[in-house]
Amino acid sequence: MSDLGVKAKRDGQCIIVFKPSGKIIEVEQGTLLLDAARRAGVEVITPCGGFGRCGRCKVQVEMGEVARRQSAHLTQAEIDKGSALACMTVVKGDAIVYVEPKEKVKLAPPLETAAEKIALPIACEWQRNPRIRKYYLEVEPPTLADATNDLDRLRRELKLQHGVEKVSVSLPVVKNLATALRQDGWKVTTALEYDGDDQQARLIGVLSGDRSSTSWGVAVDIGTTTVVVYLVDLLTSKVVDAATAYNGQINAGDDVISRIIYSQRGDGLAQLQGMVVKTINDLLIELGGRNRVKLPEINEMVVAGNTTMTHLFLGINAKYIREEPYVPVTTHPPVVRAAELGVRINHEAGVYAFPSVGSYVGGDIVAGVLSSAMFQTDKLTLFIDVGTNGEIVLGSADWLMTCACSAGPAFEGAGVRDGMRAIPGAIEEIWINTESFEPTYRVMGNLPPQGICGSGLLSALAELFVSGVIDKGGRIRRELGTPRVRVGEHGAEYVVAWASETQDEHDIVLTEADINNLIRAKAAIYAGFSVLVNSVGLTMADVEQIYIAGGFGRHINIEKAIQIGLLPDMPWDRFKYLGNTSALGAYTALVCQDMRSVADEIAAKMTYLELSADNSFMNEYTSALFLPHTDMTAFPTVADLLENTREKLVLTRGSSVV
Amino acid sequence: MPVTVQTPVEKWNGAVREVTLGATKADGGTRGRTVTVGGSATLPFLHFEGAIPNRPVIAIQVQDIDPLDWSPTLRSAWGDVTKDVLKWAAKAVDLGADIIALNLRSAHPDSGNRGPEEIAETVKSVLGAVDLPLIIYGPGVPEKDNEVLVRAAEVAAGERVAIGLCEQNNYRTIVAACLANGHVAIARAPIDVNIQKQINILMSDMGLPLDRILMDPTTGALGYGLEYSFSVMERLRLSALQGDGMTQMPTICTIGDEAWRAKEAKVSQGVPEVWGDFAKRGVVWETITATTLLNAGADILVLRHPQAVENVRKAIDQLIA
Amino acid sequence: MALSGLEIYKLLPKTNCKECGQPTCLAFAMKLAAKGAELSACPHVSEESKAALESAGAPPIRLVAIGSGDQKFEVGNETVMYRHEKTFYHQPGILVRVKDTQAADAVVVTVQQVQNYSVERVGINITLNGIAVENASGNAQTFAKCVELVRSKTDMPLVLMSQDPAAMEAALAAAGDSQPLIYSATAENWEAMAGLAKKFKAPLAVYAADGLGGLANLTDQITKAGVADLVLDPSAANVNSTLASLVQVRRHALRKNFRPLGYPVITFPSRLASTTEEETVIAAQHIARYSGVVVLDNFDPTLIYPLLTLRQNIYTDPQKPIQVKPDIYTFGDPGDKSPLLITTNFSLTYFTVAGEIEASGIPTWLLIADSEGMSVLTAWAAGKFDAEKIAKTVKTSGIADKIGHRKLVLPGFVAGMSGEVEEELPGWKIAVGPREAVDISPYLKGVWSPD
């Protein structure tokens, strides 16, 4: 069809033009619009994994014929105007499609701590048995009299100059050897990898010249949402820089289940692996550039991620993680070489992934337990990793119990009408006046607000509750007589910011549905650790210290988290923020290879409690679906606060809040 | 050496709260007597362990519109009086009801859709015709409940009637009406201890005194979820005895509504012969549902069939003796 | 007293060797605490620990079998006061009594009625458990003859009721090797009765006129005489004192681990009743409150059926998600143009959806898929309610023969599967219903059409 102004095409093919980018692609008739867009390099966000559940991949078909599957996310009026869900629509002919540019997912979230502040979280003898050892060699060039081949020559010098007896080597290193030796007059630096045995080395790199004064490694946390990379100087054990980005797989689904389903479609597994590897490579390039480190000089990589992320990163089938009896392919993946994965560091660099406990307690948690040192303490410790999947560990040096609960992404800003990620423009903290019900808020980057991020949502919930805008069941009280409370399209809502204050001139609101979402998220986590503590016959009062970890952890306001019943009502000094314990664990195992066997011991020791098989979970969960909790006696400081607030109001308003 | 056995008594820190329904002239109402329920400081009927100051009571259910859909067993037992709520209520008094439970079914959009003023007249006339304490139930449709119960509460001001149902998604209007007119509110939760407690708290947070709340944890009939109700009521009672003020309200069970909804009570044809005699079955169904929940901690039983009333009263007599 | 998982863990070797089949020692300890594993599975446990764990693990209420062969039933071994704490395990046997003074015909009629009574409830056949034969005549021969007659008509478990050891011996001989329950040993006859229990390897019921103290002394003596399988009759003068006894026996056993009262219980509701209806009401109380053997005086299906239903209710495991049978359910009188909805077999899902369909008043077909008791989203996440499963449910249900259209409404939460389901079910149109059950009525009334 020449009306699109494109070259002639084959039969049964359709030409799709994407606006506003102008990208054009030729696809077979019947191709999913989403796939066409992906192939054209047009980004369409599909938080649900492309299964028509979320309605976020809405596009406009401006011209041409498509076939839509029925969806609850499209009204007839929208269809009449050309709207279509990219994941539920196939092309029938040539078409012009407008794709709204979405929030730039490449925008990096802020790092919690400057890299130089990151220190080894636990004591370890990292210098005792280094995994990567670099030796500078000056090799006699071959002559007719001494015509020993390059490799044996190198081996001979390693033995002579550094006493290295046994060296194994792989083809890629051999292929590169001749050039490396000759490039700088037979002066080279070798990188050797020792897998615990001092007598046995693996030659993983030969660089020309003296490069022995630096040795680089990277520690990577692959989160479902965020990927973090630490660049580590292996000679000093210091983290020299860190970078983070959203996991490129986000476009294939917000949660692990959606990703697993995606991985089962066609070459979905390879696609997902490619997406996360690309994210990591982009971060490596950023770090390398900033720190003048050549990526091939990075000789070791340690990765921690949940079981699904680890499977997908390694390209292992994740299907059975989701299906009863929930068995992963492996909990102890083998060390692989970077080249096999497409990670652009030294091709021969080993990539070690943390062992996991089971399908729903992964290497990220093992890394977390490692870096928190809770496996060494005598104090009964509760470790809570607040994320889309809340993972919880209870125990001490003696024993460790763990469980995972599905909290949903509400505290990460998803699934909430005006929720957003923690990027500039996000409201990150809110205060509400108990008399006027007027809010004050703080925005990241001091910009006009665009939405509310997780920490903002948490503080909003606490403030709405304490100020009496909502009741303990989370219902907005419509009779308060403030314009901030109104009934909108989706029921009652509270206006956090008027359109005139915001970036894109829309009222930022919290609806009753949003509030219920947040309450469900906090209830899942509270119920998770309550069941875990009760399962071994203990009570919350027995818990001596509480560690909080996770991307959310850097923002968490303990006081408000207690007020809404996300965390137990305990003295604040029992809580400790640990930040990103998964990345810290990966970093620890990177610089100190003895920690890898410790990680194995931790994984072997952790006892997994399946919450869905525990009948008290539903009871605890329902009990926690209340502010702060149905059992008020478990929240004495909140009870006092409410009592005081009420008394104050009686004094100032002359009446109680009814 | 002979074995010695001591009575195994458990120590409790709390008791069910006493709630009084009805107000006599002295208290500003017009009832001939009041009924006080609750007060138990032990599990149901364990006289060896703690005080049981008030016996469980029976409320007989009457409707302001002839219940044509009721089982023939029920209709023949009551005869013509179901056509006139005043006569019906009077007969219920004769049968020994402790309380009259008035269902304002006629306000339901499917059964006449009467408005608040008509309903107000009904409530006034029932108050005039009988002098027992009253329970007033709305038609069970939130908007209509709020509309007619508010008027009912106003015309019954001072009579300390129990008004229901307050549910988690619709309680504020009814609680406010009870607060304003001196009534008792009934908190209904869907067979769930936590939700029951939550609705109790929400109602008390509005300023309603705890001795003006009854809880209705939802009744499952024999064969249709009775075991859930049984366990939820046991848990609520245990929690009350352990001192949780928010579960110490007396419990009311709508036995008749649920038991007569069971297929066993409703269907006479095409059911297994081993089910026995249809004419007796519904009554037994209502009786066993009631007495089982009595043993789980019911304080007020709302019943339909005169024979079931008789059976349940005998059971209470035996348990309280 | 039962030990917690952590207390048991402290007695285990803590090697995490996995040889018991559990991933860790703590996991094994928790299984032991929940009675889901046997200590013998641990090859490395020390003798000391074994002894400590075994004594703590003995059941506080002895499990006693009554009768022999296929129809025998077991009672006791209960672990909780309230069913929500765990579950009640062994439902009480419900038996009907005949007397040796009755005409043989009448006895046979009752026996056959009891034998043949069977009724299906939620897919399970529920039945009565046996016959009690009472020596009302006071004559040993008459008693033995009556037992012989009953035995000739049924293999069901028996309770033999006589205080006279001679009569009991004759009846036991007539009952053959069928381990009937001997009722009863008393302060007067216990030595002889204990002898018979040993001789005939039969369980023995014990009654004391002077309350639980007397009862405990009797069982103490009888166990010392070598009879272990006992059943207690704690009945008292009236309904409420009997209730008190039943509760106290259970508390002694469970709370105090008091062995002399750690046995199942037998009750005779008719002794406290003046009419058959009263007997039923009291029997219902005893079923809910700890009785292990309930002996009725009368057989009346109208009264038996509710009691069996109640027993099934009370002994349902509250820990298990209740499932409904995967099947086609109808509301109103649906025709070939009526809507067809599908959902999962978690009972709460079913009841919520069913309630809303019923409330809509629209005749409707509802197809229930076997999602192993999971709700829609959980089942979807676990792959138990996927396109394949839905297609299979539609195909095997035979629904296609009942309706004229080919349109299936999916729950809104799994809207994303509609394409896959269409692929699995050629010729069907897949519509997306509401996400929440409350919106079903407006959907059926306003949105649905068979085209």
Side-chain angles (χ1 to χ4, degrees):
Chain A
M1 242 161 84
S2 57
D3 53 350
L4 289 175
V6 197
K7 64 178 163 45
K9 60 184 165 69
R10 286 164 286 151
D11 278 351
Q13 298 290 107
C14 313
I15 295 197
I16 314 294
V17 179
F18 288 98
K19 285 167 67 178
S21 64
K23 286 180 177 161
I24 296 171
I25 186 128
E26 187 180 314
V27 294
E28 257 177 53
Q29 192 177 16
T31 301
L32 207 54
L33 207 44
L34 179 65
D35 291 340
R38 292 240 163 98
R39 270 186 248 162
V42 173
E43 207 151 29
V44 177
I45 292 180
T46 55
C48 72
F51 293 90
R53 282 189 296 130
C54 71
R56 295 268 298 274
C57 61
K58 209 175 282 176
V59 298
Q60 288 292 322
V61 180
E62 297 189 344
M63 207 192 108
E65 198 193 337
V66 295
R68 297 171 179 82
R69 275 177 192 147
Q70 194 185 352
S71 163
H73 295 288
L74 278 185
T75 63
Q76 192 55 47
E78 285 178 303
I79 291 171
D80 293 344
K81 280 193 218 146
S83 287
L85 297 187
C87 72
M88 303 289 287
T89 303
V90 293
V91 300
K92 289 283 182 194
D94 298 342
I96 300 177
V97 179
Y98 180 82
V99 181
E100 180 86 33
K102 292 280 154 77
E103 170 195 330
K104 276 263 183 286
V105 288
K106 285 197 197 80
L107 200 54
L111 252 193
E112 68 264 42
T113 336
E116 57 267 27
K117 285 192 192 152
I118 300 172
L120 265 180
I122 62 169
C124 56
E125 293 179 60
W126 62 275
Q127 284 162 305
R128 195 178 63 82
N129 180 21
R131 188 172 176 90
I132 304 298
R133 299 175 197 174
K134 290 177 89 174
Y135 295 118
Y136 172 65
L137 294 171
E138 294 184 359
V139 184
E140 279 299 309
T143 59
L144 280 173
D146 175 11
T148 308
N149 64 62
D150 288 358
L151 182 57
D152 287 342
R153 185 171 298 273
L154 187 77
R155 281 199 165 112
R156 187 172 72 200
E157 295 305 324
L158 272 170
K159 185 175 174 182
L160 281 171
Q161 295 180 36
H162 297 286
V164 180
E165 295 273 355
K166 289 186 202 155
V167 179
S168 65
V169 66
S170 65
L171 183 61
V173 175
V174 178
K175 279 180 170 175
N176 181 44
L177 188 58
T179 322
L181 282 169
R182 287 166 182 84
Q183 200 169 8
D184 196 6
W186 297 90
K187 295 182 185 122
V188 292
T189 306
T190 55
L192 295 176
E193 177 189 291
Y194 286 81
D195 192 18
D197 179 357
D198 259 348
Q199 302 306 311
Q200 181 66 53
R202 175 186 178 112
L203 181 63
I204 60 167
V206 182
L207 295 171
S208 53
D210 185 356
R211 313 289 298 163
S212 63
S213 63
T214 57
S215 183
W216 301 104
V218 285
V220 183
D221 162 39
I222 305 180
T224 310
T225 308
T226 308
V227 175
V228 178
V229 179
Y230 289 175
L231 177 65
V232 180
D233 179 344
L234 297 177
L235 296 177
T236 64
S237 86
K238 294 279 180 279
V239 176
V240 300
D241 199 0
T244 110
Y246 288 108
N247 186 332
Q249 295 174 347
I250 282 178
N251 285 345
D254 270 348
D255 51 60
V256 293
I257 298 290
S258 300
R259 305 250 178 108
I260 293 171
I261 292 172
Y262 188 99
S263 75
Q264 297 307 308
R265 252 195 350 200
D267 62 347
L269 179 58
Q271 281 185 34
L272 288 170
Q273 187 186 21
M275 291 172 191
V276 69
V277 167
K278 179 171 189 309
T279 305
I280 293 170
N281 283 337
D282 289 349
L283 289 171
L284 289 169
I285 290 165
E286 178 187 333
L287 287 169
R290 212 154 56 205
N291 299 283
R292 295 165 192 243
V293 171
K294 288 184 186 148
L295 299 192
E297 292 197 41
I298 297 172
N299 285 320
E300 183 72 6
M301 176 163 168
V302 173
V303 170
N306 65 46
T307 310
T308 304
M309 287 304 111
T310 305
H311 274 57
L312 297 179
F313 171 62
L314 297 174
I316 302 171
N317 186 353
K319 183 178 186 204
Y320 302 99
I321 289 177
R322 174 200 172 211
E323 292 177 7
E324 204 177 85
Y326 317 112
V327 179
V329 176
T330 175
T331 51
H332 288 71
V335 169
V336 294
R337 299 293 136 188
E340 292 175 58
L341 300 169
V343 177
R344 287 162 58 182
I345 55 178
N346 174 4
H347 288 180
E348 281 298 291
V351 178
Y352 166 83
F354 258 78
S356 57
V357 178
S359 277
Y360 290 107
V361 175
D364 51 345
I365 299 306
V366 175
V369 170
L370 174 69
S371 71
S372 74
M374 72 180 285
F375 68 100
Q376 293 174 329
T377 176
D378 293 333
K379 288 186 177 173
L380 183 64
T381 306
L382 181 64
F383 173 98
I384 305 170
D385 188 345
V386 183
T388 310
N389 242 7
E391 282 115 346
I392 300 155
V393 187
L394 177 74
S396 61
D398 196 21
W399 51 269
L400 294 167
M401 278 289 291
T402 178
C403 69
C405 55
S406 175
F411 281 121
E412 292 168 54
V416 174
R417 211 188 91 138
D418 285 321
M420 66 182 286
R421 299 186 170 112
I423 55 175
I427 295 177
E428 59 173 343
E429 181 114 50
I430 296 172
W431 300 266
I432 296 174
N433 186 298
T434 48
E435 286 162 47
S436 64
F437 306 113
E438 283 298 305
T440 318
Y441 51 78
R442 188 175 67 219
V443 183
M444 291 176 72
N446 286 321
L447 297 165
Q450 202 181 348
I452 315 171
C453 70
S455 59
L457 291 167
L458 185 148
S459 83
L461 185 60
E463 289 288 300
L464 287 170
F465 167 51
V466 173
S467 65
V469 175
I470 58 176
D471 68 17
K472 288 174 182 158
R475 266 161 296 271
I476 293 176
R477 299 184 5 194
R478 294 154 204 227
E479 69 280 12
L480 290 177
T482 160
R484 294 278 173 182
V485 169
R486 64 184 187 195
V487 177
E489 256 176 88
H490 306 281
E493 59 192 29
Y494 176 85
V495 184
V496 176
W498 298 110
S500 58
E501 305 162 31
T502 67
Q503 260 180 49
D504 45 5
E505 305 202 342
H506 79 285
D507 290 346
I508 294 175
V509 303
L510 272 170
T511 66
E512 242 169 31
D514 294 339
I515 290 164
N516 287 333
N517 244 335
L518 291 164
I519 293 178
R520 280 199 288 268
K522 74 99 185 172
I525 290 172
Y526 192 90
F529 63 71
S530 299
V531 170
L532 192 61
V533 169
N534 295 336
S535 72
V536 286
L538 297 173
T539 67
M540 274 315 295
D542 297 317
V543 175
E544 294 166 272
Q545 51 188 4
I546 299 176
Y547 291 160
I548 298 158
F552 183 81
R554 64 178 181 255
H555 299 297
I556 205 162
N557 176 327
I558 297 289
E559 182 186 10
K560 288 184 174 175
I562 291 172
Q563 282 169 10
I564 64 166
L566 168 65
L567 295 178
D569 194 351
M570 299 186 120
W572 296 358
D573 58 12
R574 286 201 208 170
F575 294 90
K576 196 168 152 194
Y577 307 96
L578 298 180
N580 187 336
T581 56
S582 174
L584 286 169
Y587 160 48
T588 309
L590 174 68
V591 297
C592 181
Q593 74 164 322
D594 295 351
M595 287 297 138
R596 299 185 185 189
S597 54
V598 174
D600 285 344
E601 280 167 33
I602 291 171
K605 198 165 138 182
M606 281 167 82
T607 301
Y608 178 60
L609 178 74
E610 173 59 49
L611 287 180
S612 71
D614 191 299
N615 290 288
S616 56
F617 182 76
M618 264 327 278
N619 182 45
E620 289 290 344
Y621 177 65
T622 319
S623 187
L625 283 175
F626 207 56
L627 294 171
H629 193 271
T630 308
D631 181 8
M632 214 42 204
T633 58
F635 287 84
T637 70
V638 185
D640 284 351
L641 173 75
L642 294 177
E643 190 56 35
N644 292 340
T645 313
R646 184 181 275 241
E647 271 170 25
K648 233 188 290 172
L649 289 176
V650 171
L651 286 176
T652 54
R653 282 190 208 147
S655 77
S656 110
V657 196
V658 169
Chain B
M1 203 176 72
V3 185
T4 57
V5 175
Q6 279 178 347
T7 306
V9 174
E10 307 211 330
K11 292 255 177 294
W12 303 112
N13 304 318
V16 179
R17 202 175 294 276
E18 287 193 333
V19 169
T20 298
L21 296 186
T24 59
K25 219 167 198 167
D27 307 314
T30 63
R31 303 298 85 200
R33 58 180 141 121
T34 63
V35 168
T36 298
V37 292
S40 270
T42 177
L43 291 163
F45 311 112
L46 299 190
H47 300 275
F48 65 91
E49 186 163 84
I52 303 174
N54 304 297
R55 52 181 275 150
V57 300
I58 293 170
I60 296 183
Q61 186 183 17
V62 302
Q63 269 190 206
D64 66 343
I65 184 169
D66 195 7
L68 299 173
D69 57 339
W70 277 21
S71 160
T73 315
L74 280 169
R75 292 187 59 78
S76 68
W78 284 104
D80 271 352
V81 301
T82 59
K83 293 192 174 77
D84 178 344
V85 68
L86 301 184
K87 286 186 190 153
W88 192 353
K91 188 163 176 193
V93 176
D94 292 343
L95 287 170
D98 298 295
I99 299 168
I100 301 298
L102 169 63
N103 276 47
L104 300 172
R105 177 75 198 171
S106 72
H108 194 284
D110 295 347
S111 314
N113 204 18
R114 275 186 202 155
E117 291 319 311
E118 279 175 283
I119 292 298
E121 288 311 309
T122 305
V123 172
K124 265 192 258 178
S125 56
V126 173
L127 281 166
V130 298
D131 72 347
L132 293 185
L134 236 53
I135 296 168
I136 302 179
Y137 285 115
V141 181
E143 308 83 64
K144 287 292 287 188
D145 273 1
N146 290 347
E147 194 186 7
V148 301
L149 289 175
V150 167
R151 274 302 283 143
E154 284 165 8
V155 297
E159 298 283 9
R160 207 178 168 95
V161 304
I163 297 184
L165 298 163
C166 296
E167 298 186 72
Q168 223 182 4
N169 291 318
N170 188 49
Y171 66 93
R172 300 189 71 86
T173 308
I174 300 170
V175 171
C178 289
L179 268 170
N181 299 291
H183 300 307
V184 172
I186 303 173
R188 154 80 60 103
I191 318 196
D192 186 298
V193 176
N194 289 303
I195 298 177
Q196 182 70 60
K197 201 176 151 187
Q198 288 165 8
I199 176 76
N200 294 348
I201 293 172
L202 290 170
M203 289 165 62
S204 124
D205 276 358
M206 283 185 70
L208 191 63
L210 294 176
D211 65 355
R212 277 166 60 189
I213 301 175
L214 292 173
M215 56 185 182
D216 174 349
T218 301
T219 298
L222 177 60
Y224 297 86
L226 176 67
E227 69 273 30
Y228 293 99
S229 296
F230 185 82
S231 285
V232 161
M233 286 169 59
E234 282 195 325
R235 288 180 62 191
L236 286 167
R237 172 63 71 92
L238 287 167
S239 164
L241 296 178
Q242 281 153 9
D244 181 346
M246 287 302 161
T247 53
Q248 290 175 337
M249 296 77 183
T251 303
I252 178 168
C253 293
T254 53
I255 306 288
D257 283 350
E258 300 306 323
W260 290 95
R261 214 206 300 256
K263 191 174 180 188
E264 284 80 354
K266 250 178 18 189
V267 181
S268 58
Q269 302 289 315
V271 297
E273 203 178 310
V274 287
W275 284 14
D277 177 6
F278 177 67
K280 269 165 68 186
R281 200 160 62 223
V283 176
V284 179
W285 220 255
E286 185 173 22
T287 303
I288 299 291
T289 302
T291 56
T292 303
L293 293 181
L294 205 50
N295 278 283
D299 295 287
I300 304 175
L301 300 150
V302 186
L303 300 176
R304 282 188 179 175
H305 197 286
Q307 185 58 47
V309 170
E310 181 63 31
N311 295 346
V312 173
R313 188 174 26 241
K314 220 189 269 174
I316 295 173
D317 287 344
Q318 288 177 332
L319 286 162
I320 217 78
Chain C
M1 277 320 253
L3 298 177
S4 76
L6 219 46
E7 286 165 325
I8 294 174
Y9 172 71
K10 297 203 159 87
L11 295 168
L12 295 179
K14 301 188 194 176
T15 52
N16 297 329
C17 72
K18 299 183 169 49
E19 286 173 47
C20 61
Q22 294 299 320
T24 63
C25 291
L26 182 54
F28 180 61
M30 290 175 69
K31 281 262 176 192
L32 284 176
K35 312 232 181 289
E38 293 293 330
L39 183 60
S40 57
C42 175
H44 305 297
V45 66
S46 71
E47 286 304 316
E48 271 164 73
S49 295
K50 207 183 268 181
L53 287 168
E54 270 161 9
S55 77
I61 298 177
R62 189 175 174 84
L63 184 69
V64 175
I66 295 169
S68 62
D70 289 349
Q71 300 187 63
K72 78 166 182 189
F73 65 93
E74 291 181 323
V75 288
N77 215 359
E78 300 298 338
T79 59
V80 293
M81 293 296 297
Y82 311 103
R83 53 189 293 285
H84 69 260
E85 294 174 294
K86 181 110 182 118
T87 185
F88 290 174
Y89 291 98
H90 294 96
Q91 56 176 24
I94 300 179
L95 295 81
V96 176
R97 176 170 66 168
V98 296
K99 297 181 179 177
D100 65 356
T101 48
Q102 283 174 286
D105 295 359
V107 168
V108 170
V109 166
T110 303
V111 169
Q112 280 167 347
Q113 282 173 326
V114 171
Q115 166 104 319
N116 296 335
Y117 192 86
S118 170
V119 57
E120 197 211 290
R121 252 204 103 78
V122 287
I124 297 166
N125 275 318
I126 47 181
T127 57
L128 290 162
N129 301 86
I131 300 286
V133 187
E134 183 176 0
N135 180 18
S137 66
N139 179 301
Q141 281 325 103
T142 315
F143 189 37
K145 242 185 154 151
C146 188
V147 170
E148 200 180 326
L149 174 65
V150 172
R151 187 76 305 168
S152 73
K153 298 292 173 197
T154 182
D155 291 330
M156 294 181 97
L158 302 181
V159 175
L160 306 181
M161 302 172 63
S162 176
Q163 312 281 301
D164 172 7
M168 187 59 73
E169 180 154 19
L172 283 164
D177 204 10
S178 66
Q179 279 134 56
L181 175 64
I182 301 171
Y183 183 93
S184 62
T186 62
E188 291 74 34
N189 69 12
W190 69 268
E191 283 172 293
M193 287 294 190
L196 292 174
K198 276 201 280 189
K199 181 173 168 192
F200 289 92
K201 297 193 177 63
L204 176 60
V206 185
Y207 173 77
D210 50 350
L212 298 187
L215 201 52
N217 274 299
L218 262 180
T219 62
D220 191 45
Q221 286 171 301
I222 292 171
T223 47
K224 281 177 185 148
V227 180
D229 288 334
L230 302 182
V231 172
L232 310 175
D233 175 2
S235 56
N238 59 39
V239 171
N240 70 30
S241 51
T242 301
L243 172 68
S245 290
L246 286 162
V247 171
Q248 288 173 13
V249 165
R250 184 81 149 224
R251 280 189 187 169
H252 275 297
L254 296 188
R255 300 266 196 255
K256 316 220 177 248
N257 212 11
F258 182 60
R259 299 285 175 190
L261 292 179
Y263 299 97
V265 155
I266 185 169
T267 58
F268 299 86
S270 66
R271 290 182 188 163
L272 304 165
S274 51
T275 66
T276 313
E277 279 75 15
E278 258 183 71
E279 180 189 25
T280 308
V281 168
I282 295 162
Q285 289 177 25
H286 292 175
I287 288 168
R289 282 280 180 259
Y290 314 139
S291 189
V293 185
V294 178
V295 180
L296 301 174
D297 249 12
N298 299 284
F299 176 88
D300 175 349
T302 321
L303 301 176
I304 296 283
Y305 177 49
L307 290 180
L308 295 181
T309 303
L310 177 68
R311 179 177 70 178
Q312 189 184 36
N313 281 176
I314 296 290
Y315 281 78
T316 295
D317 184 352
Q319 320 273 336
K320 282 201 184 126
I322 308 296
Q323 307 180 12
V324 293
K325 201 167 134 200
D327 206 347
I328 301 169
Y329 291 78
T330 59
F331 299 87
D333 191 9
D336 66 349
K337 286 201 157 49
S338 299
L340 171 66
L341 276 57
I342 188 165
T343 193
T344 67
N345 73 333
F346 177 45
S347 70
L348 280 183
T349 300
Y350 169 79
F351 285 120
T352 317
V353 169
E356 295 298 333
I357 295 176
E358 212 159 70
S360 77
I362 309 277
T364 300
W365 304 96
L366 176 63
L367 200 51
I368 295 297
D370 184 2
S371 67
E372 297 175 25
M374 294 183 189
S375 63
V376 171
L377 270 183
T378 318
W380 170 79
K384 308 260 184 229
F385 190 59
D386 55 14
E388 215 176 300
K389 173 64 74 68
I390 289 173
K392 197 175 144 210
T393 307
V394 169
K395 285 176 188 157
T396 57
S397 68
I399 186 70
D401 303 336
K402 298 180 191 281
I403 54 171
H405 62 81
R406 288 288 175 273
K407 187 167 179 179
L408 175 69
V409 182
L410 293 189
F413 275 115
V414 291
M417 287 197 306
S418 55
E420 290 169 63
V421 180
E422 265 172 18
E423 280 158 30
E424 297 273 346
L425 279 176
W428 283 76
K429 270 192 234 166
I430 307 302
V432 176
R435 294 161 77 94
E436 303 289 347
V438 289
D439 298 323
I440 286 176
S441 182
Y443 177 86
L444 291 178
K445 287 175 180 167
V447 181
W448 199 86
S449 90
D451 311 311

